[in-house]
């Protein structure tokens, strides 16, 4: 089986796994949408009641100047809060649509990897476990050069890696995730650090020996297979990988060449 055909199969298999987890996302999606929506509805009701009260005050002509002024202030405040909640709702909506747009974007194009990582991390907030139980830190190079690639590949790659990290941190007392990006004169890099269960050295060796070919059967993904196939998706971009355990963190370092 040639490399490109194998990569298409790997992408398809990891994509199927992502789709199979979508049910897990639905409660988080609904919860995150419901919070700003409730704020919008609540403030709208307050705004309506205050407008009705203001109308009565005008009709009764009782301390009209001071009361109207105070009412106007509250209306303005509520209007601002409604706008803020509406913007938050719109941002959440964009996080969801952006993810699915990337999953369907199979064209070769220029990619800012820092922006892509930031977008993926925003979408992962819909996983309740990821949002509430993991301390997250992003250290992103805003001047990172663009690379040539397929957004869908990188989106599936990050989904699979995150799935691996969530599972590895299930039994950890300290759940921390640090993702950093950077570049030098020839490569961009992504470093993913987590406090999950350390990968045994013998399994790291097995991964290193197999990630150039990904010869495992494409079914029944376990943690090592998921990590292997995620890394394998980036092999066509001549990516280099290094896996270590340092100071309580699993560290996956990825370097990808770029060209002007």
């Amino acid at each position: 089986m040639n490399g490109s055909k194998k990569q298409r199969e790997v992408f398809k298999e990891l994509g199927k796994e992502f789709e199979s987890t979508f049910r897990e996302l639905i409660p988080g999606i609904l919860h995150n949408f419901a919070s700003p929506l409730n704020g919008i509805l609540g403030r709208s009701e307050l705004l309506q009641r205050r407008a009705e009260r203001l109308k009565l005050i005008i009709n009764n002509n009782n301390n009209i100047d001071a009361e109207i002024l105070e009412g106007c202030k509250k209306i303005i405040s509520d209007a601002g809060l409604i706008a803020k909640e509406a913007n938050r709702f719109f941002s959440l909506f964009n996080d969801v649509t952006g993810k699915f747009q990337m999953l369907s974007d199979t064209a070769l194009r220029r990619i800012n990897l820092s922006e892509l990582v930031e977008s993926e991390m925003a979408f992962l907030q819909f996983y309740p476990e990821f949002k509430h139980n993991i301390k997250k830190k992003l250290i992103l190079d805003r001047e990172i050069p663009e690379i040539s690639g397929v957004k869908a590949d990188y989106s599936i790659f990050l989904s699979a890696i995150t799935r691996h990290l969530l599972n590895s941190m299930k039994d950890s007392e300290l759940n921390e995730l640090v993702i950093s990006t950077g570049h030098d004169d020839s490569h961009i890099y992504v470093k993913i650090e987590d406090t999950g269960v350390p990968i045994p050295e013998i399994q790291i060796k097995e991964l290193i020996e197999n990630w150039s070919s990904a010869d495992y059967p494409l079914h029944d993904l376990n943690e090592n297979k998921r990590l292997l196939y995620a890394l394998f998706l980036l092999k066509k971009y001549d990516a280099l990988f290094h896996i270590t355990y340092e100071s309580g963190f699993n560290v996956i370092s990825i370097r990808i060449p770029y060209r002007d």
Side-chain angles (χ1 to χ4, degrees):
M1 184 181 295
N2 60 48
S4 61
K5 185 176 180 180
K6 185 71 172 181
Q7 285 167 339
R8 287 196 297 271
E9 287 191 17
V10 167
F11 177 85
K12 183 178 180 180
E13 191 68 24
L14 291 175
K16 284 181 180 178
E17 188 193 37
F18 171 79
E19 292 171 1
S20 71
T21 67
F22 188 73
R23 286 186 180 180
E24 299 174 27
L25 286 174
I26 292 176
I29 290 174
L30 294 177
H31 173 76
N32 284 5
F33 278 173
S35 181
L37 183 57
N38 286 335
I40 292 170
L41 294 175
R43 289 294 171 180
S44 297
E45 291 173 358
L46 282 174
L47 192 59
Q48 185 179 22
R49 288 200 296 268
R50 284 173 177 162
E52 291 172 352
R53 183 168 178 266
L54 189 59
K55 184 178 178 180
L56 289 173
I57 293 170
I58 294 174
N59 290 337
N60 294 332
N61 195 27
N62 181 23
N63 296 326
I64 185 170
D65 292 337
E67 297 245 9
I68 287 177
L69 180 61
E70 182 64 21
C72 287
K73 287 181 179 179
K74 290 180 179 180
I75 288 173
I76 292 171
S77 176
D78 285 343
L81 290 171
I82 289 173
K84 182 179 179 180
E85 292 294 283
N87 287 333
R88 190 158 72 96
F89 184 90
F90 185 68
S91 178
L92 290 170
F93 179 78
N94 283 339
D95 291 340
V96 174
T97 56
K99 172 65 175 181
F100 291 105
Q101 285 172 352
M102 281 194 287
L103 287 174
S104 62
D105 189 347
T106 57
L108 188 66
R109 62 180 78 252
R110 304 298 292 176
I111 298 173
N112 183 309
L113 204 54
S114 289
E115 292 178 357
L116 190 145
V117 167
E118 188 170 41
S119 177
E120 288 288 328
M121 291 301 104
F123 175 78
L124 287 169
Q125 292 294 99
F126 288 108
Y127 284 94
E129 179 71 17
F130 184 85
K131 179 178 181 179
H132 299 294
N133 298 332
I134 295 179
K135 181 180 178 181
K136 299 162 285 287
K137 184 177 182 181
L138 293 181
I139 307 172
L140 301 178
D141 179 0
R142 298 298 179 181
E143 304 299 323
I144 197 169
E146 291 183 331
I147 56 173
S148 180
V150 174
K151 283 187 176 181
D153 285 339
Y154 285 95
S155 185
I156 284 290
F157 160 77
L158 287 170
S159 293
I161 286 286
T162 306
R163 188 85 178 158
H164 165 78
L165 300 180
L166 285 173
N167 287 336
S168 73
M169 285 191 278
K170 278 182 178 179
D171 299 322
S172 298
E173 294 182 2
L174 182 65
N175 294 332
E176 292 187 20
L177 172 64
V178 181
I179 301 181
S180 56
T181 61
H183 73 283
D184 54 29
D185 292 339
S186 58
H187 291 74
I188 65 170
Y189 66 78
V190 180
K191 182 185 288 186
I192 303 169
E193 305 170 75
D194 72 274
T195 55
V197 176
I199 304 173
E201 289 188 13
I202 188 171
Q203 293 181 10
I204 292 177
K205 181 180 179 181
E206 184 182 9
L207 285 170
I208 293 172
E209 291 173 349
N210 285 282
W211 64 34
S212 62
S213 60
D215 286 332
Y216 294 138
L218 287 175
H219 58 78
D220 189 27
L221 288 182
N222 59 30
E223 289 312 304
N224 282 350
K225 287 181 184 178
R226 183 182 292 110
L227 179 57
L228 171 67
Y229 287 137
L231 296 172
F232 180 72
L233 277 179
L234 303 189
K235 285 300 293 183
K236 63 182 174 182
Y237 304 116
D238 298 323
L240 304 173
F241 311 109
H242 186 59
I243 301 176
T244 58
Y245 186 76
E246 303 172 5
S247 303
F249 283 83
N250 294 300
V251 181
I252 301 173
S253 300
I254 306 159
R255 292 174 59 85
I256 306 170
Y258 69 88
R259 296 177 176 83
D260 292 332

